[in-house]
Amino acid sequence: MDIGVVLQCTPPSSRVIELARVAETHGFSHVWTFDSHLLWQEPYVIYSQILAATRKVTVGPMVTNPATRDQTVTASVFATLNEMFGNRTICGIGRGDSAVRTVGDKPTTLATLRESVEVIRELGNGRSARVGDIEVRFPWAADSRLEVWVAGYGPKALELTGQVADGFILQLADPDITAWTIGKVRASAEAAGRDPLSVKICVAAPAYVTDGSQAGLEHARDQCRWFGGMVGNHVADIVAKYGTGGDVPAALTDYIAGRQGYDYNQHGRAGNTHADFVPDEIVDRFCLIGTPDEQLARLWELEQLGVAQFAVYLQHDAKTATLEAYGEQVLPRLNRQVTAIRAAGLS
């Protein structure tokens, strides 16, 4: 299993670049960032500096959207970065949340998302794409390689992901919900004539490594409670469309009953007062909180479900400590465990 990290482009940008560099030294495979141009600094400018300061990590947004980013410009940015730094980019994309809502817009339709996935992937891989009635191509990008991963929760978004995406991004780490979403994505891929296992699975959630004490656990929960509020925005849209008691698991929808609204000025921020409705149970289910042993147990459970990457949201007060704990106490043991199991299976 790969381990990535998700950063916000919060000033100073030099700190974002340094965290990315430190993550690479600890064995992280991917560096993702939020893409909300009003709330934080412009990520694509920062990507060029991250790529220049590192040697191996793959870099991209978690996630961009088709509303605030023109699809051909997005593809051009990735193809340019690939030419400069050697095919080390990835495009995570969804319908849009904080980037579009802060400018008074709404998430795009799934049809628009589908078109954008196809255009960005074709152009980003040096092929031609149809935009409206025009066929376009980057004549300078023949060697560019780019995967496009789709983020979503609802049944229709999961169906689209299985049909067209290179990877699926699930922004929570609850094993039961993870299993349900993976099943939906893979069934859709198979129905579309694709190899279900060809769609890579990424689970993204905050991770906070504790010392095993009750005080440490409570502090970690408070630092990560914002995440349940963020997920609640998407869940509220799902409930509005599908209702409750249907195909969508109650484990995903029930907890937003006490949701009163959301302030995007506090989006993705520890101490977000609009996440007070999120109970400890949801924080524990959606995030990875606990000792290195407890972190490993959840990671192994996710790996067994078919998760190829866990991406650590690093929006709390222990950024460097989390990178160090993962690099020194979690990643090496996880790699040894996976290697041993695979070796046993091959013997």
Side-chain angles (χ1 to χ4, degrees), residues 123-164:
L123 293 178
N125 284 281
R127 300 186 291 262
S128 61
R130 183 161 291 278
V131 180
D133 296 328
I134 301 174
E135 188 170 289
V136 297
R137 184 174 178 271
F138 301 143
W140 44 268
D143 295 329
S144 176
R145 297 294 177 265
L146 178 70
E147 291 188 351
V148 182
W149 294 17
V150 172
Y153 297 96
K156 293 295 185 182
L158 299 175
E159 181 181 21
L160 180 150
T161 301
Q163 292 170 347
V164 302

Side-chain angles (χ1 to χ4, degrees), residues 169-225:
I169 297 171
L170 174 63
Q171 291 162 308
L172 56 82
D174 176 85
D176 292 337
I177 297 173
T178 298
W180 176 76
T181 58
I182 291 175
K184 288 289 186 183
V185 168
R186 288 183 171 168
S188 174
E190 186 171 20
R194 306 178 68 196
D195 177 1
L197 298 181
S198 69
V199 184
K200 300 173 185 175
I201 309 297
C202 174
V203 163
Y208 202 111
V209 181
T210 69
D211 59 5
S213 69
Q214 185 62 32
L217 174 61
E218 292 174 358
H219 178 77
R221 283 171 172 163
D222 288 342
Q223 285 290 304
C224 297
R225 199 174 306 277

Side-chain angles (χ1 to χ4, degrees), residues 6 19 48-49 63 65-66 73 83 89 105 119 135 144 155 166 174-175 184 195 276 295 303 313 321:
V6 186
L19 286 170
S48 65
Q49 295 300 306
V63 291
N65 71 86
V73 176
E83 190 278 327
T89 66
D105 208 344
V119 169
E135 188 170 289
S144 176
D166 297 305
D174 176 85
K184 288 289 186 183
D195 177 1
D276 289 346
Q295 303 272 332
E303 202 275 345
Y313 272 98

Side-chain angles (χ1 to χ4, degrees), residues 12-330:
S13 55
S14 58
R15 173 62 170 160
V16 182
I17 297 160
E18 176 61 13
L19 286 170
R21 190 196 64 78
V22 171
E24 181 178 67
T25 66
H26 285 300
F28 286 72
S29 61
H30 290 67
V31 174
W32 307 84
T33 75
F34 285 52
D35 178 9
S36 295
H37 60 290
L38 289 183
L39 298 177
W40 304 289
Q41 292 181 319
E42 173 57 39
Y44 294 105
V45 176
I46 294 175
Y47 292 162
S48 65
Q49 295 300 306
I50 291 175
L51 289 163
T54 56
R55 295 185 299 111
K56 296 185 296 183
V57 290
T58 299
V59 177
M62 187 179 283
V63 291
T64 192
N65 71 86
T68 61
R69 304 285 186 184
D70 177 87
Q71 56 196 7
T72 60
V73 176
T74 297
S76 182
V77 169
F78 286 118
T80 301
L81 291 172
N82 284 341
E83 190 278 327
M84 294 172 67
F85 300 103
N87 289 330
R88 291 170 52 204
T89 66
I90 189 168
C91 180
I93 191 169
R95 294 174 55 225
D97 182 37
S98 59
V100 299
R101 296 187 197 271
T102 52
V103 295
D105 208 344
K106 296 180 180 179
T108 66
T109 64
L110 288 174
T112 298
L113 177 59
R114 178 189 295 272
E115 177 188 346
S116 296
V117 169
E118 293 172 345
V119 169
I120 292 169
R121 182 172 52 224
E122 294 307 294
L123 293 178
N125 284 281
R127 300 186 291 262
S128 61
R130 183 161 291 278
V131 180
D133 296 328
I134 301 174
E135 188 170 289
V136 297
R137 184 174 178 271
F138 301 143
W140 44 268
D143 295 329
S144 176
R145 297 294 177 265
L146 178 70
E147 291 188 351
V148 182
W149 294 17
V150 172
Y153 297 96
K156 293 295 185 182
L158 299 175
E159 181 181 21
L160 180 150
T161 301
Q163 292 170 347
V164 302
D166 297 305
F168 165 54
I169 297 171
L170 174 63
Q171 291 162 308
L172 56 82
D174 176 85
D176 292 337
I177 297 173
T178 298
W180 176 76
T181 58
I182 291 175
K184 288 289 186 183
V185 168
R186 288 183 171 168
S188 174
E190 186 171 20
R194 306 178 68 196
D195 177 1
L197 298 181
S198 69
V199 184
K200 300 173 185 175
I201 309 297
C202 174
V203 163
Y208 202 111
V209 181
T210 69
D211 59 5
S213 69
Q214 185 62 32
L217 174 61
E218 292 174 358
H219 178 77
R221 283 171 172 163
D222 288 342
Q223 285 290 304
C224 297
R225 199 174 306 277
W226 65 268
F227 184 68
M230 184 187 82
V231 172
N233 295 326
H234 303 286
V235 175
D237 287 344
I238 293 171
V239 171
K241 184 171 183 177
Y242 298 99
T244 58
D247 188 33
V248 182
L252 179 60
T253 60
D254 283 357
Y255 86 98
I256 67 164
R259 181 177 180 270
Q260 299 296 318
Y262 194 79
D263 182 359
Y264 276 92
N265 291 315
Q266 299 183 44
H267 185 63
R269 183 184 303 174
N272 184 334
T273 58
H274 290 77
D276 289 346
F277 73 95
V278 180
D280 289 348
E281 176 200 0
I282 291 294
V283 180
D284 292 347
R285 280 175 36 205
F286 283 16
C287 306
L288 267 66
I289 294 176
T291 64
D293 285 344
E294 291 168 326
Q295 303 272 332
L296 281 162
R298 178 72 70 83
L299 289 170
W300 180 242
E301 189 173 4
L302 294 172
E303 202 275 345
Q304 292 290 92
L305 292 173
V307 175
Q309 180 184 158
F310 175 69
V312 177
Y313 272 98
L314 210 60
Q315 286 69 54
H316 50 55
D317 63 0
K319 295 178 176 62
T320 301
T322 300
L323 294 177
E324 291 177 351
Y326 260 70
E328 296 174 7
Q329 302 180 62
V330 177

